[in-house]
Amino acid sequence: MVNRTMYERGAESSKIREIFAYACERKAQIGSENVFDFSLGNPSVPAPASVRASIERSVAEVDPAVLHGYTPAPGLPAARAAVAASLNRRFGTAYGAQDVFMTVGAAASVSCCLHALVAPGDEVIVIAPYFPEYAVWIENAGATCVEVLADQKTFQIDVDALRAAITERTAAVIIDSPNNPTGAVYTRATLEALAAALQEASAGRDEPIFLISDEPYREVVYGAEVPWVPSIYAPTVVCYSYSKSLSLPGERVGWVLVPDTCADHDRIMAAVAGAARCLGFVCAPALFQRVVIDCVDEPCDVESYARNREVLTRALSEYGYDYVEPDGAFYLWMRALEEDAEAFCARARAYELLPVPSDSFGVPGWVRIGYCVSHETIERSLPAWEALAQSYR
Ligand code: PLP
């Protein structure tokens, strides 16, 4: 018997993937330079030279049987230690290899944390608009996804609304800062208010409400502070991947950190390991765990994203569009020029513009523009954005 839920999740394609598939088709028809595909969060910046150097060194120096062999389930001890040491240098913490579990990208990190910390029937709060896969992963852990609308002016967490959404079944909250899709970076004040609300709601419980801090865009930031969340709220687990910071989304490597300061650390770490085992996410790619060892402190090259952001936002505001000024990630959250974001995107398609309508992120009336594209694509798309705005006048 085919599992009905799995069939449905496989048969329905994500809106983002659907638009990306259309973009590929359209590029074949009219030339890739004439299609402005803003759908995927695939970094346009190549992986740094140090990644290639690391791969070449490993291939030249490491016995192939070892290089391509299984690693221990939680990862190479040296990779786990390198991640912990890097965090310690940056955040003044005292983590060790035993606090880090290497995973297959942030998708696996968040899924493992959900399975480790949530029981069937529990509720998990997300801040809308939110990364659509959260709903799928929460459902897969047997829990219910509870959406709390972000503050509609600042796109920070609306902590009063979040407090009102907490029930006795609330097991965890997922946050994602710098945020996909809004580009908001949660301030220290926001995170402190969130921590206070969660502490208050956790009082008297056997276990606290956990915070799952999903941080694949931590380094993709344009000057804003990205506070270290576990130092503000102790029952936080951090999910990370090198998909965006090192432009390695196809290589599937990241980690989960269970901070040493988290009460019940050993049980949580064991549950993360159990979840990775049950989900088949053990032994992250061996070659790229070695890349992590070599490149853990490699800075993220945000120059091109910063330039795209600058040129795109200046032009769009000139054409009369309304958007959230992005402090991080490489997405622009822009108001559609009509209530129905799908209808707006359908009209945009006539100008070969392919943003993603907001409905799949849990809210109506907006679009996400992924500006992790070539600068030429940004420049060439501007007349189309202008013509689209004109068509609504
Ligand atoms: N979390 C967020 C907020 C993302 O935007 C993405 C990917 O775009 C992921 C998780 C998944 O990341 P990965 O490709 O490393 O699994």
Side-chain angles (χ1 to χ4, degrees):
M1 188 204 69
V2 173
N3 179 295
R4 193 184 166 86
T5 307
M6 294 302 144
Y7 167 75
E8 284 171 3
R9 294 296 157 267
E12 77 196 3
S13 78
S14 97
K15 192 77 202 171
I16 299 171
R17 291 270 160 196
E18 195 183 303
I19 297 169
F20 177 64
Y22 170 82
C24 294
E25 225 175 82
R26 191 69 183 141
K27 282 177 180 178
Q29 289 165 355
I30 64 167
S32 60
E33 70 283 10
N34 298 314
V35 180
F36 310 118
D37 176 16
F38 297 106
S39 62
L40 274 191
N42 212 6
S44 50
V45 173
S50 57
V51 166
R52 191 189 177 117
S54 167
I55 294 168
E56 285 173 352
R57 190 165 48 250
S58 286
V59 169
E61 293 173 9
V62 183
D63 171 358
V66 174
L67 182 61
H68 302 299
Y70 288 122
T71 71
L76 292 169
R80 300 168 74 196
V83 169
S86 171
L87 295 173
N88 295 342
R89 280 192 290 278
R90 294 165 67 190
F91 305 116
T93 47
Y95 306 137
Q98 69 283 357
D99 304 323
V100 178
F101 193 102
M102 302 303 294
T103 62
V104 190
S109 302
V110 176
S111 286
C112 287
C113 289
L114 283 166
H115 280 262
L117 299 173
V118 165
D122 283 349
E123 294 171 358
V124 178
I125 293 177
V126 298
I127 313 300
Y130 60 94
F131 180 55
E133 296 306 286
Y134 289 160
V136 177
W137 300 335
I138 291 168
E139 175 196 63
N140 191 42
T144 303
C145 178
V146 175
E147 300 173 1
V148 171
L149 201 60
D151 180 295
Q152 290 300 286
K153 273 213 180 79
T154 60
F155 285 85
Q156 296 285 307
I157 300 169
D158 180 341
V159 176
D160 288 336
L162 184 133
R163 200 181 272 112
I166 293 174
T167 72
E168 60 190 19
R169 305 267 1 149
T170 306
V173 176
I174 303 180
I175 59 169
D176 152 37
S177 170
N179 188 264
N180 173 8
T182 67
V185 175
Y186 297 153
T187 63
R188 187 168 286 279
T190 294
L191 294 168
E192 283 172 355
L194 171 68
L198 295 181
Q199 248 143 23
E200 194 185 302
S202 299
R205 293 184 179 218
D206 292 342
E207 286 190 329
I209 298 174
F210 289 101
L211 194 52
I212 299 174
S213 187
D214 180 27
E215 307 189 352
Y217 302 94
R218 168 168 279 282
E219 287 80 19
V220 187
V221 71
Y222 311 105
E225 182 203 11
V226 187
W228 183 240
V229 184
S231 69
I232 298 173
Y233 186 65
T236 296
V237 292
V238 181
C239 299
Y240 187 78
S241 100
Y242 296 92
S243 297
K244 317 294 172 172
S245 59
L246 291 185
S247 297
L248 295 174
E251 307 301 352
R252 317 306 303 139
V253 67
W255 44 258
V256 171
L257 172 85
V258 180
D260 58 337
T261 46
C262 196
D264 228 4
H265 168 278
D266 293 358
R267 270 184 75 234
I268 296 171
M269 203 61 196
V272 168
R277 180 183 175 196
C278 290
L279 294 166
F281 287 157
V282 290
C283 300
L287 178 59
F288 280 84
Q289 289 191 53
R290 289 179 193 274
V291 169
V292 170
I293 297 169
D294 290 340
C295 303
V296 73
D297 287 326
E298 183 70 34
C300 172
D301 177 6
V302 295
E303 273 303 298
S304 327
Y305 305 134
R307 185 158 165 248
N308 285 357
R309 163 183 173 265
E310 160 94 34
V311 170
L312 185 64
T313 54
R314 197 175 337 113
L316 292 178
S317 88
E318 204 179 286
Y319 308 150
Y321 291 101
D322 180 17
Y323 56 82
V324 180
E325 194 68 51
D327 285 326
F330 36 51
Y331 306 106
L332 188 70
W333 191 241
M334 187 177 85
R335 220 178 257 287
L337 294 180
E338 58 185 295
E339 268 176 34
D340 182 346
E342 293 265 359
F344 175 72
C345 288
R347 194 189 291 201
R349 224 172 242 211
Y351 298 86
E352 310 300 345
L353 292 166
L354 303 175
V356 183
S358 60
D359 307 70
S360 47
F361 299 93
V363 297
W366 297 75
V367 294
R368 187 189 80 170
I369 301 171
Y371 58 84
C372 46
V373 295
S374 72
H375 192 67
E376 196 196 343
T377 301
I378 298 283
E379 293 280 3
R380 286 178 62 88
S381 74
L382 298 182
W385 286 114
E386 187 172 21
L388 176 62
Q390 287 281 1
S391 79
Y392 280 92
R393 296 217 176 97

